[in-house]
Structure formats: C-alpha cells, structure tokens
C-alpha cells in the first residue's frame, strides 16, 4: 500500500516568498532505477545510500510532522518522505505547489508500508508552476487542451508519455533494421522546385533571393531514386513530408515518412521486407505480433495475405470492377455505390475510387492489395503479365493504408509519357496530379537498374503499434485550427 495521498492538496499560498532558482542542478539517480534497485529492501529500513533526484512534485500530503510527496522524472514516479525533524524548511516544503520542479537529496529507504522512498535531507525549487496543476488522478481529459498544451499532457497522462517513448523506439528500430540490411540513410531537400513523388496537393512558398516559387516536399521519392542512379543501391530516408489536405483522425498536413529504394529487387521482395519489419517492431514494442487496435485484435505475424484489387472488390462489394470492363461499365458500377466520377477519370481511377468506397475500410487483417491500375500509379512499372496494371501494392491493416510500394518504372520514355498524362489531368482540374519533372527524366536516361521503392507512414505505424485511434495522439504537436475566441464553438475536426 502506498503512503501517497488519494488526492492533491491546495497549492501554496500566493504570498509565499519566491524561491531562489539555481542555474544548474546535478541529479545522480532516476526514479525507475531507484525503485528497481531497492525493491528488495526490508520494510521500515534505510539503505545507507544517498541519492540526488529531480522532477515535478505531482502529489503531496501532510500528516502533522510528516509530509509525503510524489516526484516524477522522465523515468517514472517515486515517493518523497519528509519528516519535520530532518527536512530543511519543513513548512515551505509542505506548501510547495503541485507541478513545481524540485531537486531532492536524501537517503533511499522503504517505509513501514513497503514503499521505496527518498528521505528529504535537502531540497530546492528548480522551477515554479504558476497556474493550477491538473489533478493527476484524472489527467487531462479535454482533448483540445491535451493537443494544444502537450507539455501538460505529457506530465499527467501516462499513456501519452508511453506513446511518445514507443514512437521513438519504433523509429529507432526501423533505422536499426534497415541499416542492418545494408541500407544507407540520407537526407534530401524539403524545398522542391516542382512538386512530385506522390499524388497530393502541395504547400507553396517563395524564395526571395532567387525570386522563385518552391514547394514543401510531398515525398522524397524522386531524389532518392536519383541516388540509386548514382550508384547507392540501398537507400532510405526518415523525415517530414507535407501535403495540403484536410485534417482527420488519419491525416495531418505534415507527417513522417520512411521511404527506401532497393536496387535489383521487385515488389515481391519488398512485401517480405514489410512483413519482417512490421512484425519485428510489434514484437519489440509489445512483446507479441498480436496488437489491440480499438476493441479488436490484429495479428501482424507474416506471411500476410496477398490479393489483387479486382479480387478484393469482387469479394467485398460483390461486383466486378476491373480493366477488362469499359469506362461506361465502370461508371455504372460506381453509380451503384454512389461513387462520384469526374469527367477526367479514366477506367483505372474509377476502379480505385470503387475500391476505396466499398472495400478498403473492411480489410482488417493485414493484406497486400496488389496490382493497381497504371492510370493511378504514374511512377510504377507495368505489370509483367497484366496489361493496364502495375506491380504496385499497398498494405492495408485495420481498414487503413499503412504503406505503398512498387517495382519502379525505369524507362525514361514511358515515364515522360506518364508525367505528361498527369499534367493533362492537372490541367483538367485534378489539383493532386503530378507535373513533368524533366530533371528526373534526365536522371533516368543515365540508367536506373531494376529497383523497388517503399513508403511507410511512420505515424500510422506508430498508431497501429500503440493502439492510438487518432493521429493527433501520436504526433506531439498536431496541426490544429486556431483556438476559438470568446463566444465561438470549437470545431470538431475528428471526422473531416
């Protein structure tokens, strides 16, 4: 049984003199390590070991000539034991505000109730909390405050802190696995002279010295493939990308992508890599390939199912939608499911829209959706056996896209034709279509060997492995609407 209080006490009196704040402090121990090392100490005994720790005062309770507190540092929480007889300035210690940062030096002990504690033989204030600290037992339940004031959320919500730590482990594990397979990590430009590498609306900016329009990258793909042309046969990048799109539980305008390019491999090799990478990270983070997402379990152990887009539409929607059908036939199927069809949509785009409306959200267990139409895959190589399709896959898990990969288009003549078709779609009104990248065509003319590419959404992977159902829980500082002014009602962005 802990000696800590059931609820926080009132904050310190407003007229208490401000403490002298030191310029530095030297802790030599952390809460988690103390708890682990002295767990076997007998109840009611002292260790004879003095430690110096620092963190926030999360809870405190006075019992006459004794004050109990809870100090939290980056590793966890530990009890403070402050008897009036030995605690310097005992009254001031008992009046500390919840949320104050303090440094404490004292002997490690275990109370009669079996709680490993640090006796307060010396203490000092390291930073004062000027407001009203949230009740630790309830945390921050207002999601608007949680996302706007993440610095508070991280202190009082253990789940938020754990997700932050696990996200960091996921990125580190991904990097370690790829480097172990011989991939070289690089950095490519964030500012692009033309948008490319993915179908998305870009953010634009202006470079004053050069007097030119630039675009925040929507993908690093075309630069990374230039590096393969340059002889770097296995290359990857983990970094921010920017897409000028709406906000939702799955979308944030800036997010993190891992992209890799692997010479001499194709999309079949890449699917095996994805299985190994994701299942390995699940084991590392959760100790199992089975994870809970919402109220359902999903098993990430490989091998994952492989199925074509056309077969999955037939399975889930009960209709045929494939490139053997005419555009008019596909339009009729789309109308059956109330899928909007714009004038410039070709058969491949209509087929994709039908898939996304009828099938994607119903795919719970991991599945590689294979063989996308060439019309919606401008950078993918034509399928070796199926005219009109490409060797492209997307991994769908729990109804959400996790990654996109394909055998790369390496023919500069065909790539130029694809770019020109995309440019025509942009002129017809598709704001997400690509433009012609002549410098990339020039790179392809130097020769790109058979290559496969992969992009994994790091935020979505972190959501999956930590059970977060909104991307805002996994991005520390998500993009939000401006705060509502007095009299306005905050906008719920969860379904946009």
């Amino acid at each position: 049984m802990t000696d800590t209080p059931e609820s926080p006490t009132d904050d310190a009196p407003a007229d208490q003199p401000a403490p002298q704040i030191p310029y530095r402090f030297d802790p030599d121990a952390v809460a988690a390590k103390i708890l682990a090392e002295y767990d076997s100490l007998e109840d009611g005994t002292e260790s004879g070991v003095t430690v110096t720790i620092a963190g926030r005062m999360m809870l405190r309770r006075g019992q006459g000539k004794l004050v109990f507190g809870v100090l939290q540092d980056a590793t966890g929480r530990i009890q403070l034991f402050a008897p009036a007889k030995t605690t310097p300035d005992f009254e001031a210690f008992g009046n500390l505000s919840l949320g104050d940062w303090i440094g404490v030096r004292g002997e490690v002990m275990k109370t009669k109730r079996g709680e490993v504690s640090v006796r307060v033989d010396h203490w000092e204030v390291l930073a004062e909390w000027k407001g009203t600290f949230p009740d630790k037992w309830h945390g921050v339940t207002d999601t608007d405050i949680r996302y706007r004031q993440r610095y508070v959320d991280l202190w009082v919500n253990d789940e938020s802190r754990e997700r932050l730590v696990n996200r960091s482990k996921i990125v580190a594990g991904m990097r370690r696995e790829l480097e172990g397979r011989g991939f070289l990590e690089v950095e490519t430009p964030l500012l692009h002279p033309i948008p490319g590498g993915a179908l998305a609306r870009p953010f634009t900016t202006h470079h004053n010295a050069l007097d030119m329009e630039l675009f925040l990258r929507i993908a690093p793909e075309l630069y990374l493939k230039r590096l393969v042309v340059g002889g770097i046969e296995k290359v990857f990048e983990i970094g921010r990308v920017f897409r000028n799109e709406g906000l939702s539980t799955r979308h944030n305008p800036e997010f993190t992508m891992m992209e890799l390019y692997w010479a001499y491999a194709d999309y079949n090799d890449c699917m095996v890599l994805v299985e190994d990478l994701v299942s390995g990270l699940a084991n590392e983070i959760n100790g199992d390939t089975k994870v809970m997402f919402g109220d359902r379990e999903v098993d990430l152990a490989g091998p994952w199912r492989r199925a074509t887009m056309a077969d999955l539409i037939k399975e889930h929607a009960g209709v045929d939608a494939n490139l053997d059908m005419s555009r008019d036939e596909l339009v009729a199927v789309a109308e059956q499911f109330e899928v909007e069809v714009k004038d410039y949509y070709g058969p491949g785009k209509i087929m994709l829209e039908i898939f996304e409306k009828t099938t994607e959200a119903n795919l719970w267990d991991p599945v590689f959706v294979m063989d996308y139409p060439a019309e919606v895959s401008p950078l993918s190589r034509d399928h070796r056996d199926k005219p009109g399709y490409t060797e492209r896959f997307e991994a769908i898990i729990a109804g959400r896209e996790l990654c996109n990969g394909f055998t790369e288009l390496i023919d500069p003549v065909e790539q130029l034709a694809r770019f020109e078709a995309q440019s025509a779609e942009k002129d017809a009104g598709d704001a997400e279509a690509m433009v012609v990248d002549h410098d990339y065509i020039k790179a392809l003319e130097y020769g790109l060997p058979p290559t496969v590419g992969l992009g994994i959404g790091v935020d979505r992977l972190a959501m999956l492995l930590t059970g977060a159902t909104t991307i805002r829980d996994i991005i520390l500082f998500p993009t939000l609407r401006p705060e509502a002014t007095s009299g306005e009602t905050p906008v719920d962005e969860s379904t946009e």
Side-chain angles (χ1 to χ4, degrees), residues 261-331:
Y261 293 86
W262 179 7
Y264 317 126
D266 68 8
Y267 80 147
N268 295 298
D269 301 303
C270 198
M271 284 185 273
V272 176
L273 185 151
V274 171
E275 290 170 341
D276 292 346
L277 184 61
V278 174
S279 62
L281 288 170
N283 265 317
E284 181 178 341
I285 299 302
N286 299 305
D288 198 334
T289 59
K290 296 178 180 178
V291 299
M292 292 299 298
F293 192 77
D295 58 357
R296 291 182 64 183
E297 182 180 82
V298 57
D299 191 348
L300 302 175
W304 298 353
R305 183 186 178 192
R306 289 153 170 76
T308 68
M309 178 183 291
D311 286 345
L312 289 168
I313 294 173
K314 179 70 172 178
E315 180 180 318
H316 288 270
V319 297
D320 288 317
N322 57 64
L323 299 186
D324 292 330
M325 302 165 64
S326 68
R327 186 181 187 279
D328 288 343
E329 289 174 319
L330 286 167
V331 169

Side-chain angles (χ1 to χ4, degrees), residues 151-163:
Y151 42 87
V152 178
D153 178 44
L154 291 172
W155 277 109
V156 299
N157 287 331
D158 292 341
E159 189 175 33
S160 294
R161 293 172 62 85
E162 184 178 1
R163 283 193 176 126

